[in-house]
C-alpha cells in the first residue's frame, strides 16, 4: 500500500466493514499508530472513504485492489 493511491474493495469477505466499503473508492492515507497507556502499540491503516476517515486493521487490506499504478 502506498500513501495517496486509490483502492477499491475487490473481494467479498465476512469483515464487518464490507457493506460500508462495497463499490466505493478509498484513498490510502497511511498507517495510524496508537500508543496505549499500557505500552502496547497498535498499527492500523487509514483511508478516506466517501469523505470520511476510516481505520482498518491489516486483515482488511487483502480485500482491496489498487485503482492506480505507480
Amino acid at each position: 500500500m502506498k500513501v495517496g493511491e486509490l483502492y477499491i474493495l475487490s473481494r467479498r469477505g465476512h469483515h464487518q466493514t464490507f457493506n460500508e466499503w462495497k463499490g466505493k473508492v478509498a484513498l490510502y492515507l497511511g498507517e495510524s499508530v496508537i500508543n496505549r497507556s499500557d505500552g502496547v502499540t497498535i498499527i492500523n491503516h487509514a483511508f478516506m472513504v466517501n469523505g470520511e476517515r476510516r481505520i482498518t486493521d491489516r486483515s482488511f487490506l487483502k480485500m482491496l485492489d489498487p485503482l492506480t499504478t505507480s
Side-chain angles (χ1 to χ4, degrees):
M1 301 238 117
K2 292 184 180 179
V3 173
E5 283 195 345
L6 299 174
Y7 292 84
I8 192 162
L9 187 66
S10 62
R11 295 172 186 85
R12 182 162 183 89
H14 299 292
H15 203 282
Q16 67 185 21
T17 58
F18 175 78
N19 289 330
E20 296 174 21
W21 291 56
K22 185 178 178 183
K24 297 176 184 151
V25 175
L27 174 67
Y28 184 60
L29 301 175
E31 291 182 346
S32 175
V33 179
I34 300 167
N35 294 308
R36 295 189 337 198
S37 60
D38 62 359
V40 174
T41 300
I42 300 170
I43 299 175
N44 289 313
H45 298 272
F47 290 87
M48 185 68 68
V49 180
N50 274 357
E52 295 181 16
R53 189 169 190 254
R54 302 286 182 154
I55 303 294
T56 69
D57 62 16
R58 65 181 174 164
S59 69
F60 193 71
L61 301 180
K62 64 185 174 191
M63 292 188 269
L64 297 170
D65 281 336
L67 286 178
T68 56
T69 57
S70 313

